[in-house]
Amino acid sequence: PIMAGVNETHIMYAASLPKIAILFGLFKRIEEGTIAWNDDIKQKAEDMIRKSSNTASTELFHMIGPEYLRDLLTSKKYNLYDRNRYGGLWVGKEYGKAPAKFLDPIGGISHAATPFSVLRFYYLMESFQLVSREWTMKMREVLAFSAFNSKFLRGLKTCCPEAITLRKAGSWRNYCSDSALVINKNKRYIIAAIADDPESEEWLERL
């Protein structure tokens, strides 16, 4: 794929965006047969991604297992977190008030990402390299129909309302992040951004 970026390997606090890593861990567990895909799990996954529910995220995080998730993200097969270079996707604690036990080794952050690692997640998903085709299609369904019309999604609805957008975003104080796989007629592309700025939501929309 053709890629362009600015500071794309800079690791930052990404708020709820790393919930895509929990989604990946969930579907790996499902594919392995250690978690069953049923209506309850489906609802939790949709609440975590579409509504950004911290309660659902925390339940799934512990169901998957923190150590299992860290091993998955740092594995050479997926390379979503690079311990030796610039880091990447990281979920070091539940989404709640519990103290962080496992900060990422590069940035010392509880919920972290680099734009490049987020692009990699979507690219691997879309090319069926995360899980099988069957479970990839289920992952795509979960990532559709975001409940929040903000940032990338608001900008995309202004310029191309017919586009199909698979998306996860995050916000906390001045930190603002968004990511999307966009399918618009014959165009297909991935976009990701993480910012620390009081006006970041507005300029992510413009981007």
Side-chain angles (χ1 to χ4, degrees), residues 105-133:
I106 302 295
I109 305 168
S110 58
H111 300 123
T114 63
F116 181 79
S117 66
V118 178
L119 296 176
R120 183 172 175 80
F121 165 84
Y122 283 96
Y123 182 78
L124 292 176
M125 180 188 74
E126 193 64 2
S127 55
F128 308 109
Q129 296 182 67
L130 292 182
V131 290
S132 69
R133 180 177 292 268

Side-chain angles (χ1 to χ4, degrees), residues 13-28:
Y13 179 73
S16 290
L17 176 53
K19 289 173 183 177
I20 58 174
I22 299 176
L23 184 70
F24 174 35
L26 172 64
F27 275 93
K28 285 302 292 185

Side-chain angles (χ1 to χ4, degrees), residues 124-168:
L124 292 176
M125 180 188 74
E126 193 64 2
S127 55
F128 308 109
Q129 296 182 67
L130 292 182
V131 290
S132 69
R133 180 177 292 268
E134 175 190 1
W135 294 117
T136 295
M137 300 313 290
K138 296 293 186 184
M139 285 182 72
R140 291 171 99 263
E141 289 175 13
V142 172
L143 284 159
F145 309 111
S146 173
F148 303 102
N149 181 33
S150 61
K151 306 166 200 161
F152 286 172
L153 195 57
R154 188 163 57 219
L156 286 163
K157 285 185 176 179
T158 300
C159 73
C160 41
E162 70 279 8
I164 297 169
T165 307
L166 311 182
R167 179 255 193 151
K168 185 72 192 87

Side-chain angles (χ1 to χ4, degrees), residues 48-59:
M48 174 178 70
I49 298 298
R50 298 177 183 178
K51 300 178 182 178
S52 210
S53 166
N54 287 340
T55 301
S57 304
T58 296
E59 288 184 33

